[in-house]
Amino acid sequence: MVDRKDIGSWLSGPDTSGVSKYPGERLGLPESGPGSIARAGRRIVAITIDWTIALLISNFAFGGNSWATLAVFAAEQVLLVGTLGYSIGHRAMGIAVVKRGGGNPGPLAALVRAVLLCLVIPAVIFDPDQRGLHDKAMNTVLIRI
């Protein structure tokens, strides 16, 4: 027989005992400050900066061809994130891409991450730790520096 206390009621709401209190808690990251998960505002501004740079280069070198803009954006992501751990926009916003255990993601992770980022959908579907599918696929995290 089930005890009524075990069931609860609709007034008690969903069970939140296993839910983390802030993004990154399940990953062992701090709630705020350096090393914490980069929030959406910083990410949006960073990608806007990166896209604007790609658009300027594309307009100057390729007459504004949309595929060229996407290629320049992807190249920036692969080269800079793969070697330094951050793009120009990331650096301007004080965020960086790191492997879950720490360190730069490396060229392969940066390549796959950039391809998925260019597809857009993986970047806008994210988990409770605010990691997009492109980050989950490569086991990376976008953190504040």
Side-chain angles (χ1 to χ4, degrees):
M1 184 162 186
V2 178
D3 187 3
R4 191 161 171 77
K5 287 187 280 185
D6 292 337
I7 297 174
S9 80
W10 65 275
L11 292 173
S12 63
D15 179 19
T16 59
S17 60
V19 177
S20 55
K21 295 178 183 127
Y22 60 88
E25 180 182 33
R26 297 180 318 151
L27 304 173
L29 300 175
E31 184 173 2
S32 61
S36 65
I37 292 285
R39 301 303 200 268
R42 288 177 186 262
R43 293 171 187 236
I44 291 168
V45 173
I47 201 167
T48 302
I49 291 169
D50 290 336
W51 188 259
T52 302
I53 290 168
L55 193 57
L56 290 172
I57 293 170
S58 173
N59 281 335
F60 178 73
F62 304 105
N65 181 293
S66 58
W67 289 106
T69 304
L70 188 62
V72 170
F73 175 79
E76 177 200 9
Q77 294 296 311
V78 171
L79 294 173
L80 295 179
V81 172
T83 57
L84 302 173
Y86 50 81
S87 67
I88 295 168
H90 289 152
R91 185 66 179 167
M93 295 311 299
I95 58 181
V97 179
V98 296
K99 288 183 188 176
R100 240 183 99 200
N104 287 343
L108 178 62
L111 175 66
V112 174
R113 193 177 178 279
V115 168
L116 292 173
L117 184 60
C118 288
L119 293 174
V120 178
I121 300 300
V124 296
I125 298 173
F126 51 90
D127 68 6
D129 292 313
Q130 294 184 0
R131 291 173 63 207
L133 293 179
H134 62 301
D135 281 322
K136 289 182 68 87
M138 291 293 94
N139 204 23
T140 56
V141 181
L142 198 56
I143 62 165
R144 291 181 57 191
I145 51 176

